[in-house]
Amino acid sequence: MDTQFIVSLAIILATFALYIWIAVINNAKGTSDFYVAGRGVPPLYNGMAIAADWMSAASFIGMAGTIMVLGYDGLAYIMGWTGGYLFLAFLLAPQLRKSGSYTVPEFIGDRFQSKTALIIAAICTMIISFTYSIGQLSGSGVVIGRLFQIDAGIGTMIGVALIAIYAAFGGMKGITWTQVAQYIVLIVAYLVPVIFMSLQITGNPLPWLSYGHIVSELGALDQALGLSEYFAPFENGTKWQFLALMFTLMCGTAGLPHVIARFYTVRTMKAARWSAAWALLFIALLYFSAPAYAAFSRFILMTQVAGSKISELPAWTTTWIETGLLKMADQNADGILQWKELIIANDIVVMATPEIANLGVFVIGLVAAGAMAAALSTAGGLLIAISSAFAHDIYYRILKPTATDKQRLNVGRITIIVATVLAGIVALNPPGAITQIVAWAFAIATGTFFPALVLGVWWRRGNSKGTIAGMVIGLAVTLAYIFAAKYGGFTILGIIDTGAGVFGAIAAFAANIIVSLATKPPSQEVQDYVTNLRYPEQMTYKDGEVYLNE
């Protein structure tokens, strides 16, 4: 075994042992622990947990690679994902926390007093979270595949086994505190390489200030090679696709059930707002660094790898070729590797760059541990969302209201294991890159939950029939557009599958409003309930008056 393998394995095993230890001492002993961590998480730590939940394998592994390949057009991911938290913080999170619900489907069922709406919301939750989890398991396969120098598919199945055990054991309480640790691991693992690359290439240890000069040099290199310039806008898609993708990611963020569930784990509406503020700060550390990471990686590849003799390529190329995620071919038979002859998957850029830049075995192992932390943290939150949608919203609220805490916990844990295995099977041959698969989950959330939650909180006139119509039509339109664009080549204004949420949201808002206005309004009690959500906990709205609570 080489030194790199031993160091990487040791770091990953050490961090994984830490996560297991935290999960054991914070084991869920009841349904409140399992679903909402006992509602006692302080805002600072909840912000870290949200950031870890949020910065998935798509962010950690796929973000910089996507920007490296797409250039300016890849910035839609950063602006959409970050901007969505402002929507969530101001439009929904405090109000949903005041509702006292455990899950998004439970809120929808209670707000509209409809079991049908609850069931449809639970089904949407499972579809969104299952789609998202495919990306996370695919990401864990990339990390494990590289570590053991095996096919990424085998790595995925190893990840399935690890995540199923890990998520089923601690529930939301265990996952919350492991996510705090995972955030620290993943942010350190992300920042160390980009700081070292900045120092190595520019002599400045602050990549956020130094990478602008490198972007200019990349533009000159692109011109010399006859490529579209790295910072030229809309070279990889239309302006409408850029805007549609940004809208989809922004609204999808505000509608993701596993992210919203994190705001149910704090005590008050004020704590929910502060959680969102802390999360934005922690997320910004990675998202401000991703463009620099992408620029430095592309610069090193273009100046130190492209143009080299194929017979003299560095050893790291061989190990990545074995994973199936790096391909190169001497198409013109001149013995020199041209930039256009190098095909590097978006999903390996972050993992491969420490080796490419010769940053040492410790940094390589640290990045591997960070990538695993990112995949594990988000996968845990997603699996809890799937589990709660079935075990709490369908099994307990619909099928067996008399179920004991123990029965509900057992059903929840079995659901996690089944969902992980099924998602892992799909992830063996993923239908797209990690960021693309994740964008589909956001599109579905945009077309279903975003309209239902915004209107549910801010429109008293909305009723159950309108919300049911909105969710069903939004889901149908979004899925139809994803499949038509992905497999049929159908587009409107050049908007491809990753921007499908814009059409789903338009259809859902229209259906919800039209059907609600065409049918009987909700009772005055329900309308008062909606208005009451907008006031702090110390105030109660009733019968047209606002009262201070004792």
Side-chain angles (χ1 to χ4, degrees):
M1 289 190 237
D2 59 17
T3 305
Q4 179 181 315
F5 173 83
I6 294 171
V7 171
S8 298
L9 183 61
I11 294 174
I12 285 178
L13 290 178
T15 56
F16 199 74
L18 173 65
Y19 308 150
I20 291 292
W21 176 72
I22 293 172
V24 168
I25 64 172
N26 291 284
N27 184 28
K29 294 179 174 63
T31 51
S32 178
D33 285 344
F34 194 80
Y35 294 125
V36 291
R39 299 199 195 275
V41 183
L44 172 65
Y45 296 111
N46 199 42
M48 295 177 77
I50 291 168
D53 208 350
W54 179 245
M55 289 188 295
S56 60
S59 292
F60 190 98
I61 298 175
M63 174 71 74
T66 298
I67 296 173
M68 192 193 85
V69 173
L70 299 181
Y72 179 97
D73 294 349
L75 295 178
Y77 285 93
I78 288 181
M79 291 188 284
W81 279 337
T82 307
Y85 261 97
L86 297 176
F87 274 176
L88 191 55
F90 292 108
L91 283 179
L92 296 174
Q95 293 77 18
L96 293 176
R97 172 60 191 89
K98 189 178 182 183
S99 74
S101 303
Y102 275 13
T103 67
V104 171
E106 183 174 43
F107 167 77
I108 289 175
D110 291 345
R111 156 64 178 89
F112 297 102
Q113 297 186 331
S114 169
K115 289 185 177 181
T116 303
L118 184 149
I119 293 170
I120 293 171
I123 292 170
C124 289
T125 295
M126 289 188 279
I127 293 172
I128 293 164
S129 301
F130 185 81
T131 303
Y132 204 151
S133 64
I134 292 169
Q136 305 318 301
L137 293 172
S138 179
S140 69
V142 172
V143 180
I144 296 170
R146 172 61 190 91
L147 176 63
F148 293 106
Q149 296 179 20
I150 57 177
D151 185 80
I154 299 173
T156 297
M157 295 316 295
I158 295 173
V160 166
L162 293 174
I163 293 170
I165 296 169
Y166 161 84
F169 188 72
M172 181 64 88
K173 185 178 180 183
I175 283 173
T176 295
W177 294 106
T178 54
Q179 284 175 336
V180 171
Q182 285 162 343
Y183 174 77
I184 295 170
V185 171
L186 74 86
I187 199 64
V188 170
Y190 203 86
L191 293 180
V192 167
V194 76
I195 289 170
F196 272 107
M197 282 193 291
S198 179
L199 196 59
Q200 188 182 83
I201 297 171
T202 69
N204 186 336
L206 301 176
W208 314 279
L209 302 179
S210 66
Y211 83 97
H213 173 66
I214 297 301
V215 169
S216 299
E217 290 194 35
L218 286 172
L221 287 169
D222 287 340
Q223 284 183 327
L225 293 172
L227 304 172
S228 60
E229 290 193 44
Y230 181 65
F231 48 77
F234 317 130
E235 292 289 332
N236 294 283
T238 67
K239 176 173 63 176
W240 294 110
Q241 162 60 16
F242 185 92
L243 293 173
L245 175 60
M246 190 164 62
F247 174 86
T248 295
L249 299 177
M250 194 174 291
C251 297
T253 298
L256 280 179
H258 79 285
V259 173
I260 292 172
R262 290 244 52 97
F263 293 97
Y264 294 140
T265 64
V266 293
R267 294 186 187 280
T268 64
M269 293 175 71
K270 183 179 179 180
R273 289 193 181 95
W274 274 107
S275 294
W278 282 115
L280 270 172
L281 173 64
F282 294 135
I283 290 167
L285 287 175
L286 188 144
Y287 277 18
F288 282 160
S289 305
Y293 210 126
F296 292 143
S297 299
R298 186 178 174 102
F299 182 78
I300 291 172
L301 283 169
M302 294 187 81
T303 57
Q304 297 181 21
V305 178
S308 302
K309 290 183 179 179
I310 290 179
S311 59
E312 299 176 0
L313 289 174
W316 66 265
T317 58
T318 303
T319 53
W320 276 107
I321 287 172
E322 289 174 358
T323 68
L325 297 171
L326 176 68
K327 298 176 184 177
M328 54 184 68
D330 190 8
Q331 295 171 356
N332 57 7
D334 64 351
I336 304 295
L337 180 66
Q338 310 297 330
W339 176 249
K340 293 181 180 180
E341 296 173 336
L342 179 65
I343 302 173
I344 183 166
N346 297 10
D347 298 340
I348 70 167
V349 170
V350 168
M351 294 295 299
T353 296
E355 295 175 77
I356 297 169
N358 293 315
L359 296 181
V361 292
F362 179 78
V363 175
I364 294 169
L366 184 64
V367 170
M372 280 300 292
L376 286 170
S377 61
T378 302
L382 290 165
L383 292 167
I384 286 293
I386 293 172
S387 172
S388 61
F390 181 79
H392 180 71
D393 297 319
I394 294 178
Y395 174 74
Y396 176 62
R397 291 290 302 269
I398 304 296
L399 299 178
K400 194 174 181 181
T402 58
T404 64
D405 257 21
K406 184 176 181 181
Q407 288 173 323
R408 293 163 63 190
L409 284 173
N410 288 339
V411 171
R413 287 177 169 134
I414 292 169
T415 303
I416 285 176
I417 294 170
V418 172
T420 311
V421 172
L422 291 177
I425 292 170
V426 178
L428 288 175
N429 185 23
I434 292 174
T435 46
Q436 183 183 27
I437 296 170
V438 169
W440 296 340
F442 280 77
I444 299 168
T446 299
T448 54
F449 283 145
F450 182 70
L453 292 174
V454 168
L455 294 176
V457 168
W458 296 104
W459 191 39
R460 287 160 44 110
R461 181 63 176 77
N463 62 23
S464 61
K465 291 182 174 63
T467 298
I468 291 168
M471 286 191 293
V472 171
I473 291 173
L475 178 64
V477 169
T478 305
L479 290 177
Y481 196 91
I482 288 173
F483 281 101
K486 170 74 174 173
Y487 300 107
F490 173 81
T491 62
I492 298 173
L493 298 173
I495 298 172
I496 60 173
D497 53 288
T498 51
V502 69
F503 300 107
I506 292 171
F509 271 114
N512 197 324
I513 293 170
I514 291 170
V515 174
S516 289
L517 291 175
T519 53
K520 185 179 177 181
S523 66
Q524 188 60 46
E525 181 185 358
V526 169
Q527 294 189 46
D528 285 349
Y529 168 79
V530 174
T531 304
N532 186 48
L533 290 175
R534 306 169 197 171
Y535 290 90
E537 284 91 353
Q538 61 267 31
M539 297 181 183
T540 298
Y541 177 89
K542 188 176 182 181
D543 299 327
E545 300 289 341
V546 179
Y547 301 92
L548 282 174
N549 298 331
E550 293 296 331

